[in-house]
PDB file of all heavy atoms in Angstrom:
ATOM      1  N   LYS A   7      67.368 -22.031  25.086  1.00 95.00           N
ATOM      2  CA  LYS A   7      66.310 -21.069  24.742  1.00 95.00           C
ATOM      3  C   LYS A   7      64.970 -21.485  25.341  1.00 95.00           C
ATOM      4  O   LYS A   7      64.221 -20.630  25.810  1.00 95.00           O
ATOM      5  CB  LYS A   7      66.181 -20.916  23.226  1.00 95.00           C
ATOM      6  CG  LYS A   7      67.208 -20.005  22.624  1.00 95.00           C
ATOM      7  CD  LYS A   7      66.867 -19.712  21.183  1.00 95.00           C
ATOM      8  CE  LYS A   7      67.953 -18.871  20.554  1.00 95.00           C
ATOM      9  NZ  LYS A   7      67.675 -18.630  19.123  1.00 95.00           N
ATOM     10  N   ILE A  21      45.713  -8.232  27.842  1.00 97.00           N
ATOM     11  CA  ILE A  21      45.429  -6.918  27.274  1.00 97.00           C
ATOM     12  C   ILE A  21      43.931  -6.717  27.469  1.00 97.00           C
ATOM     13  O   ILE A  21      43.117  -7.396  26.835  1.00 97.00           O
ATOM     14  CB  ILE A  21      45.819  -6.838  25.784  1.00 97.00           C
ATOM     15  CG1 ILE A  21      47.318  -7.073  25.606  1.00 97.00           C
ATOM     16  CG2 ILE A  21      45.400  -5.480  25.208  1.00 97.00           C
ATOM     17  CD1 ILE A  21      47.773  -7.136  24.152  1.00 97.00           C
ATOM     18  N   ASP A  46      47.143  -2.188  15.456  1.00 96.00           N
ATOM     19  CA  ASP A  46      47.084  -0.815  14.961  1.00 96.00           C
ATOM     20  C   ASP A  46      47.289  -0.862  13.458  1.00 96.00           C
ATOM     21  O   ASP A  46      48.378  -1.209  12.996  1.00 96.00           O
ATOM     22  CB  ASP A  46      48.157   0.050  15.622  1.00 96.00           C
ATOM     23  CG  ASP A  46      47.879   0.271  17.103  1.00 96.00           C
ATOM     24  OD1 ASP A  46      46.701   0.447  17.473  1.00 96.00           O
ATOM     25  OD2 ASP A  46      48.839   0.255  17.896  1.00 96.00           O
ATOM     26  N   VAL A  53      51.158  -7.839  22.158  1.00 98.00           N
ATOM     27  CA  VAL A  53      50.664  -9.204  22.272  1.00 98.00           C
ATOM     28  C   VAL A  53      51.017  -9.713  23.662  1.00 98.00           C
ATOM     29  O   VAL A  53      52.112  -9.451  24.165  1.00 98.00           O
ATOM     30  CB  VAL A  53      51.231 -10.124  21.152  1.00 98.00           C
ATOM     31  CG1 VAL A  53      52.744 -10.121  21.142  1.00 98.00           C
ATOM     32  CG2 VAL A  53      50.692 -11.542  21.263  1.00 98.00           C
ATOM     33  N   GLU A  84      51.440 -16.495   8.846  1.00 95.00           N
ATOM     34  CA  GLU A  84      52.390 -17.426   8.230  1.00 95.00           C
ATOM     35  C   GLU A  84      53.234 -18.169   9.266  1.00 95.00           C
ATOM     36  O   GLU A  84      53.932 -19.121   8.920  1.00 95.00           O
ATOM     37  CB  GLU A  84      53.312 -16.679   7.264  1.00 95.00           C
ATOM     38  CG  GLU A  84      52.590 -16.140   6.039  1.00 95.00           C
ATOM     39  CD  GLU A  84      53.468 -15.256   5.168  1.00 95.00           C
ATOM     40  OE1 GLU A  84      54.654 -15.043   5.502  1.00 95.00           O
ATOM     41  OE2 GLU A  84      52.955 -14.768   4.155  1.00 95.00           O
ATOM     42  N   ASN A  87      54.119 -23.816  13.584  1.00 94.00           N
ATOM     43  CA  ASN A  87      54.636 -24.434  14.799  1.00 94.00           C
ATOM     44  C   ASN A  87      56.101 -24.829  14.613  1.00 94.00           C
ATOM     45  O   ASN A  87      56.894 -24.754  15.547  1.00 94.00           O
ATOM     46  CB  ASN A  87      53.789 -25.638  15.222  1.00 94.00           C
ATOM     47  CG  ASN A  87      53.982 -26.839  14.332  1.00 94.00           C
ATOM     48  OD1 ASN A  87      53.651 -26.806  13.147  1.00 94.00           O
ATOM     49  ND2 ASN A  87      54.519 -27.893  14.887  1.00 94.00           N
ATOM     50  N   VAL A 106      52.343 -26.313  18.311  1.00 92.00           N
ATOM     51  CA  VAL A 106      51.114 -26.308  17.508  1.00 92.00           C
ATOM     52  C   VAL A 106      50.060 -25.441  18.190  1.00 92.00           C
ATOM     53  O   VAL A 106      49.372 -24.647  17.537  1.00 92.00           O
ATOM     54  CB  VAL A 106      50.594 -27.750  17.290  1.00 92.00           C
ATOM     55  CG1 VAL A 106      49.215 -27.733  16.634  1.00 92.00           C
ATOM     56  CG2 VAL A 106      51.573 -28.556  16.446  1.00 92.00           C
ATOM     57  N   GLU A 109      50.732 -21.734  17.489  1.00 94.00           N
ATOM     58  CA  GLU A 109      50.285 -21.359  16.140  1.00 94.00           C
ATOM     59  C   GLU A 109      48.768 -21.231  16.107  1.00 94.00           C
ATOM     60  O   GLU A 109      48.226 -20.253  15.578  1.00 94.00           O
ATOM     61  CB  GLU A 109      50.738 -22.427  15.139  1.00 94.00           C
ATOM     62  CG  GLU A 109      50.224 -22.195  13.726  1.00 94.00           C
ATOM     63  CD  GLU A 109      50.563 -23.316  12.762  1.00 94.00           C
ATOM     64  OE1 GLU A 109      51.476 -24.119  13.023  1.00 94.00           O
ATOM     65  OE2 GLU A 109      49.872 -23.385  11.729  1.00 94.00           O
ATOM     66  N   ILE A 116      43.628 -13.805  15.620  1.00 97.00           N
ATOM     67  CA  ILE A 116      43.475 -13.025  14.391  1.00 97.00           C
ATOM     68  C   ILE A 116      42.068 -13.223  13.820  1.00 97.00           C
ATOM     69  O   ILE A 116      41.418 -12.263  13.406  1.00 97.00           O
ATOM     70  CB  ILE A 116      44.569 -13.385  13.359  1.00 97.00           C
ATOM     71  CG1 ILE A 116      45.946 -12.932  13.892  1.00 97.00           C
ATOM     72  CG2 ILE A 116      44.268 -12.742  12.000  1.00 97.00           C
ATOM     73  CD1 ILE A 116      47.130 -13.406  13.067  1.00 97.00           C
TER      74      ILE A 116
END
Side-chain angles (χ1 to χ4, degrees):
K7 280 190 184 177
I21 299 175
D46 292 321
V53 56
E84 293 173 0
N87 73 295
V106 172
E109 175 185 341
I116 293 172

